[in-house]
Amino acid sequence: MKARENPFATSRVLKMRYQLLIASWDDLETRLATLGHRAAIVGPHGSGKTTLLEDVAGRLSLRGWNTRWLRLNEENPRLPSSDWPRVLAELGAQDCILFDGAEQLSWLAWTMFKRRSRHVGGLVVTAHRPGLLPTLHTCATHPGLLASIAGNLMGRRDAMPEEDLRDLFCKHRGNLRDALRELYDRWAQRESSAFRRSVGGNGEMVLTKYPHLQIP
Amino acid sequence: MNELKLGLRDNRTQFRPGDEITGAAGWKLDQPPDAVEVRLFWRTEGKGTSDTQVVHTARFDKPSPEDARPFAFTAPNAPYSFSGKLVSLVWALEMVIKPGNDASRIDVIIAPAAQEILLHKPA
């Protein structure tokens, strides 16, 4: 198995878009407008916050917004430039800041950032907990979502055996990113009992039914 | 609707370092472009984050909206195309229309013996 052929390669996973389960995109955009385009996408690690933020960015661009990205994480917890106040000052009403990892900022830095970006048209952030801004959407995961994503990546309408999927989901505490990384390893090594049990006599994956899921 | 065509001479996609990579880029666009670029680059794919580097670029400034241009690159000495379980390094040619995101890509192999190096034995 070559890395580039692995269905769970990072490049393929990153192409997956966020699956809205309990709301429509129209609802989400309406809510964002109601919140004055200042809102937070909240959720635990590996729940799709960044993916959803990217999808929101795409829709904002289609509606004429100029999107500006900021990305912070545990390895890079500080704003990228010492002259970020000047950068913020140059933005205007048609700009929307997309701030992935806003909670990396200290309380003081976040307060200053929020104050200095008041004039900017929009600010959408991601955070693990609510509180930075009004919540636009709370990302949540469940085993069925992992099955849907895995099915899409494998390009077939099948899924892992339910018990193995649940075990994988529980093992990673709902963190789909980590679960998909383990699926990468399993596919590469072909050691997973899940895949072995799923393989029929002719080597093809057998179907596992998830009638409550819609796998496009 | 924009049409892009990227082709290699004799449809050859496997090269040794130092080989000449020749082909042609053709396009039929709705609007005159600012430029068309053909790039030779490599990227990594696999479990980790992707890395990429453009090694050669052929740029055609303010071309006609419908045209075709030849290009020629020398296959670099490194890195080689390879695949393991965790990472693959993939070379590719890409034609990009500027401005915008229209692009066309062909994956190629650059390695000794013009064969992708496998880091593990096939199953």
Side-chain angles (χ1 to χ4, degrees), chain A residues 32-64:
Chain A
L32 181 58
T34 302
L35 294 173
H37 291 92
R38 306 186 87 75
I41 295 170
V42 177
H45 288 283
S47 62
K49 299 187 297 296
T50 300
T51 303
L52 178 57
L53 187 61
E54 290 170 352
D55 291 345
V56 167
R59 287 174 183 268
L60 288 171
S61 294
L62 285 175
R63 299 205 183 278

Short mmCIF file of all heavy atoms in Angstrom, two decimals, chain A residues 32-64:
data_model
loop_
_atom_site.label_atom_id
_atom_site.label_comp_id
_atom_site.label_asym_id
_atom_site.label_seq_id
_atom_site.Cartn_x
_atom_site.Cartn_y
_atom_site.Cartn_z
N LEU A 32 -25.63 33.42 11.57
CA LEU A 32 -24.40 34.22 11.58
C LEU A 32 -24.73 35.69 11.33
O LEU A 32 -24.18 36.57 12.00
CB LEU A 32 -23.43 33.70 10.52
CG LEU A 32 -22.09 34.41 10.42
CD1 LEU A 32 -21.34 34.36 11.75
CD2 LEU A 32 -21.22 33.78 9.32
N ALA A 33 -25.63 35.95 10.40
CA ALA A 33 -26.04 37.33 10.14
C ALA A 33 -26.74 37.92 11.36
O ALA A 33 -26.51 39.07 11.72
CB ALA A 33 -26.95 37.37 8.92
N THR A 34 -27.57 37.12 12.00
CA THR A 34 -28.28 37.59 13.21
C THR A 34 -27.30 37.96 14.31
O THR A 34 -27.53 38.90 15.08
CB THR A 34 -29.24 36.49 13.71
OG1 THR A 34 -30.17 36.16 12.67
CG2 THR A 34 -30.01 36.96 14.94
N LEU A 35 -26.19 37.24 14.36
CA LEU A 35 -25.17 37.52 15.38
C LEU A 35 -24.22 38.62 14.95
O LEU A 35 -23.18 38.83 15.60
CB LEU A 35 -24.38 36.24 15.67
CG LEU A 35 -25.18 35.10 16.31
CD1 LEU A 35 -24.33 33.83 16.39
CD2 LEU A 35 -25.67 35.49 17.71
N GLY A 36 -24.57 39.31 13.88
CA GLY A 36 -23.71 40.40 13.43
C GLY A 36 -22.40 39.94 12.85
O GLY A 36 -21.41 40.68 12.86
N HIS A 37 -22.37 38.71 12.37
CA HIS A 37 -21.16 38.11 11.80
C HIS A 37 -20.01 38.10 12.81
O HIS A 37 -18.84 38.22 12.44
CB HIS A 37 -20.74 38.82 10.50
CG HIS A 37 -21.68 38.57 9.37
ND1 HIS A 37 -22.74 39.40 9.10
CD2 HIS A 37 -21.73 37.56 8.48
CE1 HIS A 37 -23.42 38.90 8.06
NE2 HIS A 37 -22.84 37.79 7.67
N ARG A 38 -20.35 37.95 14.06
CA ARG A 38 -19.32 37.79 15.10
C ARG A 38 -19.75 36.61 15.95
O ARG A 38 -20.68 36.72 16.76
CB ARG A 38 -19.20 39.06 15.93
CG ARG A 38 -18.96 40.30 15.09
CD ARG A 38 -18.68 41.52 15.94
NE ARG A 38 -17.27 41.64 16.27
CZ ARG A 38 -16.33 42.04 15.42
NH1 ARG A 38 -16.64 42.37 14.20
NH2 ARG A 38 -15.08 42.14 15.81
N ALA A 39 -19.07 35.48 15.76
CA ALA A 39 -19.56 34.26 16.38
C ALA A 39 -18.43 33.25 16.52
O ALA A 39 -17.34 33.43 15.96
CB ALA A 39 -20.70 33.66 15.57
N ALA A 40 -18.71 32.20 17.28
CA ALA A 40 -17.73 31.15 17.53
C ALA A 40 -18.28 29.81 17.11
O ALA A 40 -19.45 29.51 17.32
CB ALA A 40 -17.36 31.12 19.00
N ILE A 41 -17.38 29.00 16.55
CA ILE A 41 -17.66 27.59 16.30
C ILE A 41 -16.97 26.83 17.40
O ILE A 41 -15.76 26.95 17.60
CB ILE A 41 -17.13 27.16 14.92
CG1 ILE A 41 -17.87 27.90 13.81
CG2 ILE A 41 -17.25 25.66 14.74
CD1 ILE A 41 -17.26 27.72 12.44
N VAL A 42 -17.74 26.07 18.13
CA VAL A 42 -17.25 25.46 19.37
C VAL A 42 -17.27 23.94 19.24
O VAL A 42 -18.15 23.38 18.57
CB VAL A 42 -18.14 25.91 20.55
CG1 VAL A 42 -17.71 25.25 21.82
CG2 VAL A 42 -18.11 27.42 20.70
N GLY A 43 -16.30 23.29 19.86
CA GLY A 43 -16.32 21.83 19.85
C GLY A 43 -15.01 21.26 20.34
O GLY A 43 -14.00 21.97 20.39
N PRO A 44 -15.00 19.98 20.72
CA PRO A 44 -13.78 19.36 21.21
C PRO A 44 -12.78 19.09 20.08
O PRO A 44 -13.07 19.33 18.91
CB PRO A 44 -14.29 18.04 21.82
CG PRO A 44 -15.55 17.75 21.08
CD PRO A 44 -16.16 19.07 20.73
N HIS A 45 -11.63 18.59 20.48
CA HIS A 45 -10.58 18.26 19.50
C HIS A 45 -11.11 17.28 18.46
O HIS A 45 -11.81 16.32 18.79
CB HIS A 45 -9.39 17.61 20.22
CG HIS A 45 -8.59 18.58 21.04
ND1 HIS A 45 -7.70 19.47 20.47
CD2 HIS A 45 -8.53 18.77 22.37
CE1 HIS A 45 -7.13 20.18 21.44
NE2 HIS A 45 -7.61 19.79 22.59
N GLY A 46 -10.78 17.54 17.19
CA GLY A 46 -11.11 16.61 16.13
C GLY A 46 -12.59 16.51 15.81
O GLY A 46 -13.04 15.50 15.28
N SER A 47 -13.35 17.55 16.11
CA SER A 47 -14.80 17.51 15.86
C SER A 47 -15.20 18.26 14.60
O SER A 47 -16.39 18.32 14.29
CB SER A 47 -15.56 18.09 17.06
OG SER A 47 -15.21 19.45 17.27
N GLY A 48 -14.24 18.83 13.88
CA GLY A 48 -14.54 19.46 12.60
C GLY A 48 -14.65 20.97 12.63
O GLY A 48 -15.16 21.58 11.68
N LYS A 49 -14.16 21.60 13.69
CA LYS A 49 -14.29 23.06 13.78
C LYS A 49 -13.59 23.77 12.63
O LYS A 49 -14.16 24.66 11.99
CB LYS A 49 -13.71 23.56 15.11
CG LYS A 49 -14.38 22.99 16.35
CD LYS A 49 -13.86 23.65 17.60
CE LYS A 49 -12.37 23.40 17.82
NZ LYS A 49 -12.07 21.97 18.03
N THR A 50 -12.35 23.37 12.36
CA THR A 50 -11.60 24.02 11.28
C THR A 50 -12.26 23.77 9.94
O THR A 50 -12.35 24.67 9.09
CB THR A 50 -10.16 23.51 11.27
OG1 THR A 50 -9.55 23.82 12.52
CG2 THR A 50 -9.35 24.14 10.15
N THR A 51 -12.74 22.55 9.74
CA THR A 51 -13.42 22.22 8.48
C THR A 51 -14.65 23.09 8.30
O THR A 51 -14.89 23.64 7.22
CB THR A 51 -13.81 20.73 8.47
OG1 THR A 51 -12.65 19.93 8.67
CG2 THR A 51 -14.46 20.35 7.15
N LEU A 52 -15.43 23.23 9.36
CA LEU A 52 -16.64 24.06 9.26
C LEU A 52 -16.27 25.51 9.01
O LEU A 52 -16.90 26.20 8.22
CB LEU A 52 -17.47 23.92 10.53
CG LEU A 52 -18.74 24.77 10.58
CD1 LEU A 52 -19.65 24.47 9.39
CD2 LEU A 52 -19.51 24.53 11.88
N LEU A 53 -15.21 25.98 9.69
CA LEU A 53 -14.79 27.37 9.49
C LEU A 53 -14.38 27.59 8.03
O LEU A 53 -14.69 28.62 7.44
CB LEU A 53 -13.64 27.72 10.44
CG LEU A 53 -13.20 29.18 10.45
CD1 LEU A 53 -14.33 30.09 10.91
CD2 LEU A 53 -11.98 29.37 11.36
N GLU A 54 -13.69 26.63 7.45
CA GLU A 54 -13.31 26.74 6.04
C GLU A 54 -14.54 26.78 5.14
O GLU A 54 -14.59 27.52 4.15
CB GLU A 54 -12.41 25.57 5.65
CG GLU A 54 -11.02 25.65 6.27
CD GLU A 54 -10.21 24.38 6.08
OE1 GLU A 54 -10.76 23.37 5.59
OE2 GLU A 54 -9.01 24.40 6.43
N ASP A 55 -15.54 25.99 5.47
CA ASP A 55 -16.77 25.99 4.66
C ASP A 55 -17.53 27.31 4.81
O ASP A 55 -18.09 27.83 3.85
CB ASP A 55 -17.66 24.81 5.05
CG ASP A 55 -17.05 23.47 4.65
OD1 ASP A 55 -16.10 23.48 3.83
OD2 ASP A 55 -17.50 22.43 5.13
N VAL A 56 -17.54 27.82 6.04
CA VAL A 56 -18.16 29.14 6.27
C VAL A 56 -17.43 30.20 5.45
O VAL A 56 -18.06 31.07 4.84
CB VAL A 56 -18.16 29.48 7.77
CG1 VAL A 56 -18.49 30.95 8.00
CG2 VAL A 56 -19.14 28.60 8.54
N ALA A 57 -16.10 30.11 5.44
CA ALA A 57 -15.30 31.07 4.67
C ALA A 57 -15.68 31.04 3.20
O ALA A 57 -15.82 32.09 2.55
CB ALA A 57 -13.81 30.76 4.84
N GLY A 58 -15.86 29.85 2.66
CA GLY A 58 -16.23 29.73 1.26
C GLY A 58 -17.55 30.40 0.97
O GLY A 58 -17.72 31.09 -0.05
N ARG A 59 -18.51 30.21 1.88
CA ARG A 59 -19.83 30.81 1.66
C ARG A 59 -19.78 32.33 1.82
O ARG A 59 -20.49 33.05 1.11
CB ARG A 59 -20.83 30.18 2.62
CG ARG A 59 -21.15 28.78 2.17
CD ARG A 59 -22.02 27.99 3.10
NE ARG A 59 -22.17 26.65 2.55
CZ ARG A 59 -23.17 26.28 1.75
NH1 ARG A 59 -24.12 27.13 1.44
NH2 ARG A 59 -23.22 25.05 1.27
N LEU A 60 -18.97 32.79 2.76
CA LEU A 60 -18.82 34.24 2.91
C LEU A 60 -18.20 34.85 1.65
O LEU A 60 -18.62 35.92 1.20
CB LEU A 60 -17.96 34.56 4.13
CG LEU A 60 -18.61 34.31 5.50
CD1 LEU A 60 -17.59 34.44 6.61
CD2 LEU A 60 -19.77 35.27 5.72
N SER A 61 -17.21 34.18 1.09
CA SER A 61 -16.57 34.69 -0.13
C SER A 61 -17.57 34.78 -1.27
O SER A 61 -17.58 35.74 -2.04
CB SER A 61 -15.42 33.77 -0.54
OG SER A 61 -14.38 33.82 0.40
N LEU A 62 -18.45 33.77 -1.35
CA LEU A 62 -19.47 33.79 -2.40
C LEU A 62 -20.42 34.97 -2.24
O LEU A 62 -20.99 35.46 -3.22
CB LEU A 62 -20.26 32.48 -2.37
CG LEU A 62 -19.56 31.25 -2.94
CD1 LEU A 62 -20.42 30.01 -2.74
CD2 LEU A 62 -19.23 31.43 -4.41
N ARG A 63 -20.57 35.41 -1.02
CA ARG A 63 -21.48 36.54 -0.75
C ARG A 63 -20.75 37.88 -0.77
O ARG A 63 -21.31 38.88 -0.34
CB ARG A 63 -22.18 36.33 0.59
CG ARG A 63 -23.03 35.07 0.61
CD ARG A 63 -24.16 35.15 1.62
NE ARG A 63 -24.90 33.90 1.67
CZ ARG A 63 -25.86 33.57 0.80
NH1 ARG A 63 -26.18 34.38 -0.19
NH2 ARG A 63 -26.49 32.43 0.92
N GLY A 64 -19.49 37.86 -1.22
CA GLY A 64 -18.79 39.12 -1.42
C GLY A 64 -17.89 39.57 -0.29
O GLY A 64 -17.31 40.66 -0.35
#
